[in-house]
Amino acid sequence: MTLDRVWWALGAVIVVLAIIVCLVPGHELPGVFEYNDKVSHLVGHGLLALYFSGLVVRRSWWKIFIFLLLLGAAIEYAQYAMNVGREGDPRDVVANSIGALLGLVVGWFGGARWPLLGAWIFGRGRAG
């Protein structure tokens, strides 16, 4: 298995974990996520965008943004529809979108090269 496949598998796991955390009933949510709801959305989607910017060619980064926009909207709708102590908030979708854009900006300025660092750490000459 190439390191590139490991990064993609890890990315899928991270997305699934993010979905789970976002859909856990409000009373079961650890206090660490209650710091500031909008900041949590901004940082979470920013980190996801930065992570995937290292795996996707730059000309296709718009797909990362669209994916995260749709993911955030779907999560907010699910929170609204599930009625388990979480509230769907359209402002969270805005915070998600801003976070995703900021993550891609950080990727543009060099953050997207993180797979090279990972390859170096794991003793591989290349990321793929």
Side-chain angles (χ1 to χ4, degrees):
M1 179 181 283
T2 65
L3 194 52
D4 200 34
R5 289 183 186 199
V6 171
W7 295 139
W8 277 104
L10 181 60
V13 169
I14 292 169
V15 168
V16 168
L17 289 174
I19 292 169
I20 291 169
V21 166
C22 291
L23 296 181
V24 167
H27 63 281
E28 294 181 20
L29 199 63
V32 69
F33 294 107
E34 295 177 7
Y35 173 68
N36 183 317
D37 184 50
K38 301 304 177 262
V39 171
S40 296
H41 284 270
L42 193 121
V43 170
H45 272 65
L47 290 174
L48 283 170
L50 178 60
Y51 183 87
F52 286 105
S53 74
L55 304 179
V56 175
V57 294
R58 192 174 285 183
R59 69 179 174 273
S60 294
W61 282 6
W62 66 270
K63 294 175 185 178
I64 297 170
F65 179 78
I66 296 297
F67 170 75
L68 292 174
L69 174 67
L70 294 175
L71 176 67
I75 287 171
E76 292 305 315
Y77 178 76
Q79 287 177 344
Y80 167 77
M82 288 173 52
N83 200 18
V84 290
R86 303 292 294 266
E87 296 179 13
D89 185 352
R91 294 173 297 178
D92 289 345
V93 177
V94 173
N96 294 341
S97 300
I98 293 170
L101 284 174
L102 291 174
L104 293 173
V105 167
V106 171
W108 181 271
F109 285 106
R113 293 187 292 194
W114 67 262
L116 298 175
L117 176 62
W120 178 76
I121 289 171
F122 292 111
R124 306 270 175 104
R126 323 176 327 150

